[in-house]
Amino acid sequence: MRRVSVANAAAGMVLCRPVYDSKGYPLIAAGEALPDGNLQLLTRTAGAELLVDDPRTQDIFVKSVFEPELEAKAVQSLGALLTALPPGPATVQPGSLVGVAHTVKKMLDAVFPYVVGDVEVAGAHALEGRDAVHGVKVAEMALVVGRMAGLERDDLHALAMAAMLMNAGHRSLPEGLLDQPRPLLPEEVEQLRTHPRLSLEALAASGLPRDAFLAIAQHHERWDGSGYPAGRRGDEISPLARILAVADAYVALLSERPHRHAMPAHDAIEFVLAYSGELFDPALVQIVARQLPQYPTGITVILSTGETGVV
């Protein structure tokens, strides 16, 4: 079993894990070969990496904490919820979160009683449907970090629901703001920074627990007080929001954006480590450093000797 990026995929590679699109629907099943001349299918994939069969690495096996089928179901349920929100001011009605809450329960089961397997946080490859894919991947990382930090089931439920729904307010932003192929202008940044408030307004009647609302409100606050909207610092920030801050930033760095390409995992972890005690809670950064390998199982690396190896 070997890990390859979507960009390096080649026709004939046999998949060890199914591939789903950015809406959570199956593209290619496990055991099937990538189709010759039709690799553009992969531009619609939710993830940036594939697991493929390789006779040279038959002794390497990757067991994910969250199975791809579960991740796909989560993307489907969250995507359906977000798509149903009309552009502009919107309200999530009571009962609308049943589908999302059901998949969150399944995700919680995957980290209890212990976190077992590889954390598959590879970022979002496709720009289409990125809010749903991003929310699910942030929830996965946040659950692992939260569980390793000692959180119990109720707190983890609130954390995962906040991760899934923290960007619901994006639907109320000016059309095209998030699709600019350049860094945002100062006035556009100010518009973007209203999205935590817009998310809270959209979710006000949804029945989310109070801790989830706090996490959504504060997930862009930073440890040193440089975040927004209130410039909170350190322990003034909700514990769940501190987890969301590092998970959200890490997944965003790994993901394609209109104005930049995705960053490799080792660079994203180096970024998080570099800003420990500044942007991020240093205790959480240490958990991230222990739980998320810079070079995950199955990835191809070039050694200092010039030789090529597979982790």
Side-chain angles (χ1 to χ4, degrees):
M1 189 176 290
R2 186 163 60 89
R3 192 184 299 266
V4 298
S5 70
V6 168
N8 292 329
M13 287 181 170
V14 177
L15 295 176
C16 295
R17 183 170 63 187
V19 175
Y20 294 86
D21 68 15
S22 57
K23 295 182 180 179
Y25 294 99
L27 280 178
I28 310 173
E32 291 187 8
L34 293 179
D36 186 18
N38 201 21
L39 290 179
Q40 63 265 32
L41 276 173
L42 296 180
T43 63
R44 307 207 313 268
T45 58
E49 293 181 344
L50 308 172
L51 283 178
V52 300
D53 187 32
D54 189 328
R56 299 169 298 178
T57 56
Q58 289 183 346
D59 58 337
I60 295 177
F61 178 75
V62 178
K63 170 67 172 70
S64 302
V65 177
F66 304 99
E67 293 299 330
E69 294 82 1
L70 173 57
E71 182 178 279
K73 289 291 186 184
V75 170
Q76 285 181 31
S77 61
L78 180 56
L81 174 69
L82 296 177
T83 301
L85 292 176
T91 301
V92 176
Q93 298 300 321
S96 299
L97 300 183
V98 172
V100 173
H102 178 72
T103 55
V104 164
K105 179 182 180 300
K106 296 290 188 182
M107 293 165 76
L108 287 173
D109 291 341
V111 297
F112 274 92
Y114 308 108
V115 176
V116 179
D118 291 89
V119 183
E120 298 289 333
V121 183
H125 177 70
L127 296 177
E128 181 185 11
R130 62 182 177 269
D131 276 343
V133 176
H134 181 80
V136 171
K137 289 183 178 293
V138 172
E140 290 174 343
M141 178 175 172
L143 283 173
V144 170
V145 174
R147 183 63 182 137
M148 298 309 297
L151 296 186
E152 292 299 331
R153 200 173 185 101
D154 286 349
D155 286 335
L156 288 174
H157 178 268
L159 175 64
M161 292 296 288
M164 299 272 267
L165 299 166
M166 63 187 178
N167 289 333
H170 280 177
R171 297 285 289 176
S172 300
L173 293 172
E175 186 176 358
L177 180 64
L178 298 175
D179 299 317
Q180 296 297 329
R182 54 163 174 78
L184 296 181
L185 302 173
E187 58 270 23
E188 293 171 329
V189 170
E190 289 305 309
Q191 288 179 314
L192 178 60
R193 288 186 171 189
T194 65
H195 82 267
R197 173 178 58 80
L198 296 172
S199 295
L200 294 176
E201 291 173 357
L203 296 163
S206 67
L208 275 181
R210 178 178 180 274
D211 285 346
F213 278 112
L214 278 177
I216 290 170
Q218 299 175 12
H219 74 277
H220 279 292
E221 301 287 1
R222 295 296 179 254
W223 187 255
D224 62 0
S226 64
Y228 65 90
R232 295 175 183 271
R233 65 174 62 240
D235 291 339
E236 297 173 356
I237 305 168
S238 151
L240 302 189
R242 286 180 243 160
I243 296 174
L244 280 192
V246 67
D248 180 38
Y250 179 75
V251 174
L253 290 171
L254 293 175
S255 302
E256 289 288 322
R257 289 293 184 260
H259 62 283
R260 61 160 176 79
H261 290 302
M263 186 181 289
H266 61 273
D267 285 343
I269 289 183
E270 286 294 337
F271 177 92
V272 171
L273 289 171
Y275 286 98
S276 175
E278 294 183 47
L279 301 183
F280 310 118
D281 181 338
L284 297 177
V285 169
Q286 290 305 308
I287 293 175
V288 170
R290 290 196 302 269
Q291 292 299 315
L292 300 181
Q294 295 188 36
Y295 302 99
T297 304
I299 197 170
T300 302
V301 295
I302 298 177
L303 306 177
S304 59
T305 60
E307 297 172 290
T308 299
V310 177
V311 177

